Amino acid sequence: VDRLTTRYAGCITRVDANYMTPAGLRIANAYGVKSHPVVLVLATDNTVVTRINGVPDEARLAATIATLCRQ
């Protein structure tokens, strides 16, 4: 995730949310996050494009982000 954040810095915004904080809990509840780790890729309208439960596969995540950044 760190490498992809750097690679697509001009296209994406990364938000790390700790569900043990009030703000993180609000985000987790809003998107139905019940376990961790989870990676959500959101469109500009905050709809979930991809949800990856567990440690993400970098190639799959990169392909998803690349597609969104071309739009």
Side-chain angles (χ1 to χ4, degrees):
V1 174
D2 290 335
R3 282 190 295 272
L4 297 176
T5 300
T6 301
R7 184 186 314 167
Y8 294 103
C11 176
I12 65 170
T13 301
R14 177 179 172 176
V15 176
D16 293 313
N18 179 341
Y19 71 93
M20 298 297 286
T21 66
L25 188 56
R26 281 192 301 277
I27 292 168
N29 288 336
Y31 290 100
V33 174
K34 304 284 187 220
S35 64
H36 65 87
V38 63
V39 174
L40 301 173
V41 177
L42 307 177
T44 56
D45 65 356
N46 291 327
T47 58
V48 177
V49 173
T50 298
R51 173 191 215 77
I52 302 170
N53 293 309
V55 177
D57 175 81
E58 186 173 347
R60 176 181 168 212
L61 186 55
T64 299
I65 293 170
T67 299
L68 290 172
C69 288
R70 280 185 239 135
Q71 296 178 357

